[in-house]
Amino acid sequence: IVVTGKGPQKDFYLEKISHLKLQHVAIQTLWLEPVDYPKLLACADLGVSLHTSTSGIDLPMKVLDLFGCGVPVCALDFQCLSELVVDGTNGK
């Protein structure tokens, strides 16, 4: 599992990850240069977006990035996500 980004919740998730008792799973965290980011995404089997919107109107760029690389996405639902994900067309 590769976790990317350096957002404000990074330390929160690193703390959670540190307590997991996983077997046969490696979790790596990293920050990529913009030129390398789509290369990594294109290698993924699945993308996960934990983006939420306090305003309900901003779209998660990570979902757009993953869609652009042809990677399916599991995302938290919020008000404007339906502008990106159309049930039965490119998601559910």
Side-chain angles (χ1 to χ4, degrees):
I1 299 173
V2 178
V3 180
T4 63
K6 59 179 183 178
Q9 291 186 317
K10 180 180 179 180
D11 289 338
F12 170 79
Y13 286 107
L14 289 176
E15 175 68 18
K16 293 271 189 194
I17 289 168
S18 73
H19 295 291
L20 297 175
K21 305 287 188 231
L22 302 174
Q23 296 180 7
H24 311 293
V25 176
I27 299 175
Q28 300 293 318
T29 60
L30 56 119
W31 173 254
L32 297 168
E33 293 300 322
V35 70
D36 296 324
Y37 187 60
K39 295 174 188 172
L40 176 70
L41 293 185
C43 296
D45 295 316
L46 174 71
V48 176
S49 173
L50 300 177
H51 175 89
T52 57
S53 170
T54 54
S55 68
I57 59 173
D58 60 316
L59 299 173
M61 291 306 299
K62 182 177 297 291
V63 173
L64 293 174
D65 293 341
L66 289 158
F67 278 178
C69 292
V71 176
V73 180
C74 179
L76 293 176
D77 191 15
F78 64 94
Q79 184 179 351
C80 69
L81 189 63
S82 62
E83 292 181 32
L84 291 174
V85 180
V86 179
D87 190 14
T89 300
N90 67 347
K92 183 149 181 76

